[in-house]
Amino acid sequence: MFGPEQGHFALALACILALTQFILPLWGAARQDRRMLALAPLLAVSQLIALALSFFCLVWSATHDDFSVQNVAANSAIAKPLLYKITGTWGNHEGSILLWALILGVCGAAVAAFGRNLPAILRARVLAILGGVSAGFQAFCLLTSDPFARVWPAPPDGQGMNPLLQDPGLAFHPPILYTGYVGFAVPFAFAVAALIEGRVDAAWGRWVRPWAVAAWCFLTCGIALGSWWSYYVLGWGGYWFWDPVENASLIPWLTGTALVHSAIVVEKREALKIWTVLLAIATFSFSLSGTFLVRSGILNSVHAFANDPARGIFILGLLAVVIGGSLLLFAWRAPSLVAGGMFAPLSREGSLVLNNILLCSICAVVVTGTMYPPFAQLLFGRTISVGKPFFDATTIPLTLPLLGAMAFGTMLPWKRAQMSPLLHRLRIAGLLAVVALGVACWTLSGPLPILCAVGAVWVIGASVTDLTGRLGVSRLSLAHSWARARSLPRSAFGAALAHIGAGVTVLGLCGMSQAQHAIVDVKVGQTETLAGYEWTLLDVRDAQGPNYRAMIADIAIRRHGHLVTVLHPSKRDFSSQHQTTTEVAIRTNLLADLYGVIGDRHGTGADTTYVLRLHYNPLAPWMWLGGLIMAIGGGLSLSDRRLRVGAPKKAASIRAEATS
């Protein structure tokens, strides 16, 4: 009932429904045909049901060890734990594309379900654009990346999954990251629909912002989760390698952050309309470009799913249609959009413009550093490596003024502001920054980490000051402050939390810049000293796992003679995949991580030695804690009733009545 044939049939049906969803609503909008407009949500939900059935069939094949399915035979095995049989369905190229299409189907169905208060023509056009993008990806699945392709004769057992992917962190990282990528398809669809209609107003900004914030939250969590996985699984002690595929996720996050802020200006002041539409197109275009880079074979990375130029050419064609078509439409229709209200440079709009300029500048630097090496190889035959020194030297000088501007933004009034009241409100944050400068000069080395730490404290201090000022903490009684807190929009708390999270992440990065590490070759019982701790290899033993054999080390860590902890890093040998992985052991107190990895064994008998990689990583957990705080802040903003999709109905009705 749920075999590969049914899954393939459901996928084909979903593709037909998506294509119909693309054509009929657009036709209906052009003809003002209510029956065709009404088909859009029905087709979106039907497409989602077909995609869900197709994906379920793939999961069914994996969990029932149907090795006649090529995808299952290449990526699963009988001995693989059930969790990884399920998550392994998206741990490969074909399954990940099907998951991408499923999430896009969920987005379309969400617009159909929660967009009932949108104007019928706008909703139909948005769903049509989403249907067109879905049809493209589902055709890609069917024509070049069929997850249900058969192999005959079926092998008795599969080849197994890449052991690096058999980890809870990476099991759930792709769905969260894809939801962020794909979620930006909704603002993209709103942007294209607005260009077709030739109208962008405050209601449009209010409709777009919740979808942009939701996608941004998922992308933030996905990037943070991927970075955490890299930290504790790969065993190299770092968290971000400026890997091209990592950068492919950072680029849409940067433009998506700019989009979230510029949509506020559209909603509040009806300004930056053309720029916001362009940002919505650019953000989803970068998300698609990341998919192309991962699957085209252009970039080599531990994250790359496939090395197949043929698939890359299909996606390149899809990119040309989606991105090229939307940019052509933008070039044609953007001049017809009416410019919005004027504002002074020193105003909240001005600070958000500065925020956008700096975020997009950082994005341009990351794009240049990521794409220059493959293009230099392609055009000039030159092999060039662009790594951490380039990105540190170019992004940090742009990040520092961004941190400075973040403190001003939420405190400035709309349209025009005065400098004196602003500086008065920021005096406590300034005092905290001066104290942070003294502490940073004492604890950190290097001017950039010191300046970044000061900037982070400045942002956190300003966010707390702004929030406490709104609540009247220093002027009102506790009861009155609580009453104000209950009446304050949740988006105000969300914005403050998101900015605090950014500051916490930057502090974590500053701490990691002071990390210490050592690679030693020691015998059992030998002690090494690192960062004031004594690291002693107590024992090394062998163990049998469900589908691997492991070598486990016991490392005792003492400080001033007192036992702090015992780490148990291991090295696993997956014989069926002929692959070895390391399992990192970490002990954290939230202020620093003690991080141990066991490597190769050398020699025999009494001369046996073991390679150990030892790290002391100050403030490492703060990087991911800050990402979580940012996402929670975005989620809190999303829960604000003013940001709900249905909220604009009243305003739109009032406007319609006023013009009638």
Side-chain angles (χ1 to χ4, degrees):
M1 183 176 178
F2 300 115
E5 276 72 30
Q6 288 79 7
H8 192 273
F9 174 77
L11 180 58
L13 177 63
C15 188
I16 294 170
L17 289 170
L19 198 58
T20 310
Q21 180 185 328
F22 173 60
I23 296 171
L24 291 185
L26 280 183
W27 192 8
R31 298 182 55 188
Q32 304 279 316
D33 188 322
R34 289 185 176 274
R35 290 174 300 176
M36 286 191 187
L37 295 178
L39 282 176
L42 182 62
L43 287 167
V45 173
S46 303
Q47 183 203 159
L48 173 62
I49 293 171
L51 281 170
L53 175 61
S54 177
F55 194 80
F56 182 77
C57 288
L58 185 60
V59 173
W60 180 277
S61 300
T63 54
H64 287 73
D65 297 324
D66 185 353
F67 298 120
S68 68
V69 180
Q70 189 174 14
N71 179 274
V72 177
N75 299 289
S76 188
I78 295 173
K80 195 165 76 167
L82 178 62
L83 172 66
Y84 299 122
K85 287 183 180 179
I86 296 171
T87 60
T89 54
W90 56 75
N92 55 83
H93 168 73
E94 293 81 3
S96 68
I97 288 291
L98 184 58
L99 176 65
W100 178 291
L102 175 63
I103 295 173
L104 194 52
V106 171
C107 289
V111 172
F114 299 112
R116 284 173 290 184
N117 293 322
L118 293 172
I121 292 181
L122 177 65
R123 182 169 70 152
R125 284 182 172 143
V126 169
L127 288 173
I129 302 304
L130 290 173
V133 177
S134 290
F137 269 92
Q138 289 161 28
F140 176 63
C141 241
L142 289 167
L143 299 178
T144 70
S145 309
D146 184 3
F148 301 103
R150 293 282 198 167
V151 59
W152 185 262
D157 197 357
Q159 298 173 20
M161 186 181 183
N162 184 342
L164 284 175
L165 306 182
Q166 295 184 36
D167 178 85
L170 202 65
F172 300 105
H173 161 63
I176 296 173
L177 190 71
Y178 286 2
T179 305
Y181 277 149
V182 179
F184 282 113
V186 180
F188 169 82
F190 269 98
V192 174
L195 289 172
I196 295 173
E197 288 191 11
R199 189 182 68 178
V200 174
D201 53 17
W204 182 88
R206 187 171 292 182
W207 287 323
V208 165
R209 197 148 71 96
W211 301 104
V213 170
W216 180 86
C217 288
F218 278 104
L219 192 55
T220 302
C221 288
I223 292 174
L225 191 58
S227 170
W228 182 51
W229 171 84
S230 172
Y231 177 72
Y232 82 86
V233 167
L234 296 184
W236 61 295
Y239 54 92
W240 192 268
F241 193 65
W242 292 106
D243 181 295
V245 177
E246 292 175 339
N247 294 349
S249 65
L250 179 62
I251 291 166
W253 185 85
L254 290 167
T255 54
T257 306
L259 171 64
V260 167
H261 289 86
S262 66
I264 300 173
V265 183
V266 176
E267 178 190 344
K268 302 293 184 184
R269 297 281 299 140
E270 294 205 23
L272 303 182
K273 292 188 284 190
I274 298 175
W275 171 245
T276 304
V277 167
L278 181 60
L279 270 180
I281 293 174
T283 302
F284 185 58
S285 299
F286 282 132
S287 297
L288 288 180
S289 302
T291 305
F292 166 68
L293 292 175
V294 173
R295 289 166 174 81
S296 63
I298 286 182
L299 302 177
N300 291 318
S301 162
V302 67
H303 303 86
F305 273 118
N307 188 1
D308 188 344
R311 291 168 174 170
I313 289 172
F314 191 104
I315 297 183
L316 188 59
L318 188 61
L319 287 181
V321 172
V322 176
I323 300 175
S326 57
L327 289 179
L328 278 176
L329 183 65
F330 178 81
W332 176 38
R333 299 287 288 172
S336 66
L337 298 178
V338 179
M342 303 296 291
F343 53 86
L346 187 60
S347 61
R348 184 173 293 190
E349 299 95 315
S351 72
L352 291 173
V353 169
L354 179 61
N355 156 295
N356 272 225
I357 291 173
L358 291 169
L359 283 169
C360 291
S361 300
I362 296 171
C363 177
V365 166
V366 177
V367 170
T368 303
T370 304
M371 296 310 303
Y372 182 66
F375 276 100
Q377 175 71 34
L378 182 66
L379 299 177
F380 311 114
R382 295 167 55 190
T383 302
I384 297 174
S385 175
V386 176
K388 188 174 184 297
F390 167 81
F391 289 106
D392 283 353
T394 51
T395 59
I396 294 178
L398 292 168
T399 304
L400 287 172
L402 181 63
L403 292 173
M406 284 171 66
F408 291 94
T410 55
M411 292 192 175
L412 288 169
W414 295 103
K415 202 171 182 180
R416 184 180 297 276
Q418 298 294 324
M419 182 61 80
S420 298
L422 176 65
L423 293 179
H424 180 74
R425 292 184 66 188
L426 283 169
R427 65 188 187 284
I428 296 177
L431 181 62
L432 289 174
V434 171
V435 174
L437 176 63
V439 174
C441 289
W442 181 48
T443 57
L444 303 178
S445 60
L448 290 179
I450 292 173
L451 291 174
C452 286
V454 172
V457 173
W458 165 249
V459 169
I460 295 171
S463 300
V464 174
T465 300
D466 178 48
L467 200 56
T468 54
R470 292 180 184 221
L471 299 179
V473 171
S474 60
R475 308 186 309 274
L476 304 174
S477 65
L478 187 60
H480 283 88
S481 295
W482 173 244
R484 279 198 172 195
R486 295 183 63 184
S487 61
L488 201 64
R490 291 178 192 170
S491 59
F493 291 100
L497 265 184
H499 286 187
I500 290 171
V504 171
T505 295
V506 172
L507 285 175
L509 297 173
C510 294
M512 278 296 286
S513 70
Q514 313 298 308
Q516 301 178 48
H517 76 277
I519 300 175
V520 297
D521 194 4
V522 298
K523 294 180 179 179
V524 172
Q526 191 172 337
T527 298
E528 296 288 334
T529 301
L530 175 70
Y533 292 87
E534 296 91 39
W535 307 62
T536 304
L537 179 61
L538 297 178
D539 189 21
V540 178
R541 61 189 186 281
D542 294 329
Q544 179 66 49
N547 57 346
Y548 61 84
R549 286 191 59 78
M551 178 174 67
I552 303 173
D554 300 328
I555 303 173
I557 303 176
R558 290 180 170 82
R559 188 174 180 86
H560 305 309
H562 299 288
L563 181 65
V564 176
T565 189
V566 178
L567 299 180
H568 304 287
S570 65
K571 183 176 181 180
R572 295 179 178 179
D573 178 27
F574 293 81
S575 56
S576 61
Q577 290 89 27
H578 307 289
Q579 192 167 345
T580 301
T581 65
T582 55
E583 294 295 311
V584 177
I586 301 173
R587 194 266 187 182
T588 184
N589 59 4
L590 296 183
L591 293 178
D593 282 359
L594 300 170
Y595 182 107
V597 183
I598 183 170
D600 293 336
R601 182 191 340 234
H602 296 147
T604 57
D607 296 327
T608 301
T609 60
Y610 301 89
V611 175
L612 299 181
R613 179 186 285 270
L614 312 174
H615 291 259
Y616 173 74
N617 296 332
L619 301 184
W622 290 32
M623 296 183 294
W624 303 291
L625 179 64
L628 180 62
I629 294 173
M630 280 192 277
I632 292 173
L636 201 56
S637 297
L638 205 57
S639 69
D640 193 327
R641 63 181 177 81
R642 299 179 310 161
L643 280 184
R644 289 174 193 161
V645 176
K649 182 183 182 182
K650 185 177 179 182
S653 303
I654 293 171
R655 240 190 341 272
E657 290 170 3
T659 55
S660 62

